[in-house]
Amino acid sequence: MTKALTGVRILDFTHVQSGPTCTQLLAWFGADVIKVERPGVGDITRGQLQDIPKVDSLYFTMLNHNKRSITLDTKNPKGKEVLTELIKKCDVLVENFGPGVLDRMGFPWEKITAINPRMIVASIKGFGPGPYEDCKVYENVAQCTGGAASTTGFPDDVPLVTGAQIGDSGTGLHLALGIVTALYHRTKTGKGQRVTAAMQDGVLNLCRVKLRDQQRLAHGPLTEYSQYGEGIPFGDAVPRAGNDSGGGQPGRILKCKGWETDPNAYIYFITQAPVWEKICDVIGEPGWKTHPDYAKPAARLPRLNEIFGRIEQWTMTKTKFEAMDILNEFDIPCGPILSMKEIAEDQSLRATGTVVEVDHPTRGKYLSIGNPIKLSDSPSDVQRSPLLGEHTDEVLRDVLGFSDHQVAEIHSSGALSPPQKQAAE
């Protein structure tokens, strides 16, 4: 079986998280991703949050699998020549530089498309056109400006960002779809195009249910929110709703057996209307099935604190896994709060390739995330991240067709090596 993107060549000018997330996904699907890095330095995350001295950090290795690394000084005239040749040979250029960096390098869109009319140039930006388009954006900034933080947390406390990297990785996933779409479009037109994903836009797309609620709010209170049942008035914007379900069915995170010592001994529980009678039987309240205060969803809304308090009395007698087994038997929606330790040790995730063990030449073995998207006829695997500049000569020879003499000439120009420090006087 052939990998889905075999034959597609990506020129990867991305760094840190958002761009590398995108290009790694394309590499998992078989694209030849050539990561261009600064000589002697490379992607800044190689040295960030290092747990082993002088070894590429997990931050870098877990975002750059299946890629080839070359070093190139794009300010060097010979480096610019090499970059021009790479643009001719590649299908997609991906970058997440700050605003205007690609232009200042001397490679604006107009020049790139003149060099290779089939080239797709894909960019991650913080904001789209507007008052903030020239501003730099990082993960938590994107979460704040995309609507996530204002709607996360509890109503009587400060806004919160989520631990999921919806700004960086989320936007990278959006860009990957845009690239594949542009590649498909090129099969019909023969032309490349620009693809842009703004981090604010990506976060907002993932917060669409909150924009839904903002419009509903104009027609009355949001009755599925806990504060409605508590008699707390709504303002003019969607409030933070704690652990309420966003799907219209009341849901809460409840304590399970062992919560006093285990910070993750909790389960998410949804009082879905179709299984209400089963919930009543499980928790030992059969009378609630017909009682006028509990039988119908509308009657239950002002009593949610009482209802979830009673359900929690039951969940506290079970471990989260015991509770899940019982509830799943009756199709009652629930989910244990899994710690990263539990996820790392989950053998079912290993079996599906969602969590993989990778062997690195300097780091040794480590766990990483595998491809979350599975195709039945197109295999996907996870190969270790490249060492800095590991494939420079290989790319010059095999991709650009340079001779040994030409490769030596480029090396001597300093285009592939870190600048020499001046000797102290």
Side-chain angles (χ1 to χ4, degrees), residues 4 13 15 39 62 73 85 117 131 165 223 293 297 303-304 369-370 417:
F13 271 99
H15 57 287
M62 293 176 69
D73 181 359
E85 294 302 311
Q165 304 293 283
T223 57
D293 289 345
R303 299 173 175 81
L304 288 179
I369 305 301
S417 306

Side-chain angles (χ1 to χ4, degrees), residues 25 31 44 52 64 76 83 87 98 105 108-109 168 205 220 259 316 325-326 329 345 352 369 371-373 401:
L25 186 60
I44 192 173
I52 303 174
N64 291 281
N76 182 295
L83 178 52
I87 291 172
M105 283 174 54
W109 160 252
D168 276 325
N205 185 42
W259 67 272
M316 288 172 64
D325 287 343
I326 294 169
E329 185 178 343
E345 295 171 352
T352 60
I369 305 301
N371 193 340
I373 304 167

Side-chain angles (χ1 to χ4, degrees), residues 12 24 158 164 206 229 261 268 295 314 317 390 402:
D12 183 4
Q24 177 172 258
V158 299
L206 298 174
T261 56
Y268 195 84
W314 178 81
T317 67
E390 180 178 353
F402 287 175

Side-chain angles (χ1 to χ4, degrees), residues 163-178:
Q165 304 293 283
I166 61 175
D168 276 325
S169 288
T171 307
L173 295 173
H174 282 90
L175 188 68
L177 176 59

Side-chain angles (χ1 to χ4, degrees), residues 37-42 70-76 78-79 388-389 392-393 396 407-421:
E37 303 187 73
R38 274 198 305 160
V41 179
I70 68 169
T71 55
L72 189 65
D73 181 359
T74 56
K75 296 179 181 178
N76 182 295
K78 185 62 72 172
L388 179 60
T392 300
D393 288 1
L396 293 177
V407 172
E409 184 181 16
I410 296 168
H411 273 284
S412 64
S413 73
L416 310 176
S417 306
Q420 299 295 316
K421 295 181 180 179

Side-chain angles (χ1 to χ4, degrees), residues 20-349:
T21 296
C22 168
T23 53
Q24 177 172 258
L25 186 60
L26 300 174
W28 279 339
F29 283 128
D32 178 14
V33 175
I34 301 171
K35 186 176 179 72
V36 183
E37 303 187 73
R38 274 198 305 160
V41 179
D43 189 320
I44 192 173
T45 59
R46 285 186 183 270
Q48 286 186 336
L49 305 176
Q50 285 181 319
D51 55 318
I52 303 174
K54 299 180 180 181
V55 171
D56 287 340
S57 71
L58 287 167
Y59 196 1
F60 176 84
T61 60
M62 293 176 69
L63 285 163
N64 291 281
H65 293 119
N66 297 56
K67 303 179 185 180
R68 297 198 278 183
S69 168
I70 68 169
T71 55
L72 189 65
D73 181 359
T74 56
K75 296 179 181 178
N76 182 295
K78 185 62 72 172
K80 290 183 182 295
E81 291 179 19
V82 172
L83 178 52
T84 299
E85 294 302 311
L86 284 168
I87 291 172
K88 293 178 182 177
K89 296 286 187 178
C90 291
D91 298 287
V92 185
L93 185 154
V94 190
E95 59 92 10
N96 62 329
F97 292 127
V101 171
L102 202 59
D103 291 358
R104 293 194 294 273
M105 283 174 54
F107 289 88
W109 160 252
E110 293 76 14
K111 181 174 181 177
I112 293 172
T113 193
I115 296 170
N116 181 356
R118 292 174 56 81
M119 173 66 81
I120 294 161
V121 177
S123 304
I124 288 180
K125 301 302 177 188
F127 297 97
Y132 306 117
E133 62 184 301
D134 293 329
C135 298
K136 281 188 174 182
V137 173
Y138 296 92
E139 172 65 45
N140 288 354
V141 174
Q143 290 197 30
C144 292
T145 59
S150 72
T151 56
T152 303
F154 288 88
D156 57 350
D157 210 340
V158 299
L160 290 175
V161 296
T162 175
Q165 304 293 283
I166 61 175
D168 276 325
S169 288
T171 307
L173 295 173
H174 282 90
L175 188 68
L177 176 59
I179 290 170
V180 173
T181 303
L183 285 168
Y184 178 75
H185 185 259
R186 193 181 70 177
T187 65
K188 295 185 286 186
T189 66
K191 293 182 179 180
Q193 59 181 303
R194 284 179 286 185
V195 180
T196 304
M199 293 174 69
Q200 181 188 39
D201 300 358
V203 171
L204 180 56
N205 185 42
L206 298 174
C207 292
R208 63 178 60 196
V209 297
K210 298 301 182 180
L211 186 59
R212 171 205 68 189
D213 291 348
Q214 180 63 41
Q215 296 170 87
R216 293 173 55 225
L217 191 57
H219 303 284
L222 306 173
T223 57
E224 78 279 10
Y225 279 51
S226 293
Q227 72 178 65
Y228 173 78
E230 296 168 5
I232 301 172
F234 286 79
D236 61 359
V238 174
R240 292 180 281 285
N243 291 314
D244 289 348
S245 169
Q249 302 287 348
R252 300 276 179 90
I253 291 179
L254 306 177
K255 297 173 183 174
C256 289
K257 187 176 182 179
W259 67 272
E260 299 91 342
T261 56
D262 181 355
N264 294 296
Y266 292 84
I267 193 168
Y268 195 84
F269 193 110
I270 300 175
T271 54
Q272 190 179 39
V275 292
W276 172 247
E277 292 189 0
K278 295 178 181 178
I279 292 172
C280 295
D281 288 335
V282 166
I283 66 173
E285 294 289 350
W288 281 5
K289 292 187 288 186
T290 55
H291 195 291
D293 289 345
Y294 305 98
K296 300 296 182 183
R300 293 195 290 272
L301 284 174
R303 299 173 175 81
L304 288 179
N305 285 340
E306 175 198 350
I307 290 168
F308 278 111
R310 177 64 186 89
I311 296 171
E312 189 172 59
Q313 290 178 11
W314 178 81
T315 60
M316 288 172 64
T317 67
K318 315 291 180 188
T319 69
K320 59 188 178 185
F321 298 111
E322 290 171 343
M324 186 178 180
D325 287 343
I326 294 169
L327 296 171
N328 279 338
E329 185 178 343
F330 298 100
D331 294 325
I332 298 170
C334 65
I337 307 305
L338 296 180
S339 70
M340 280 297 157
K341 181 176 183 296
E342 289 168 322
I343 289 172
E345 295 171 352
D346 189 324
Q347 293 305 307
S348 65
L349 295 178

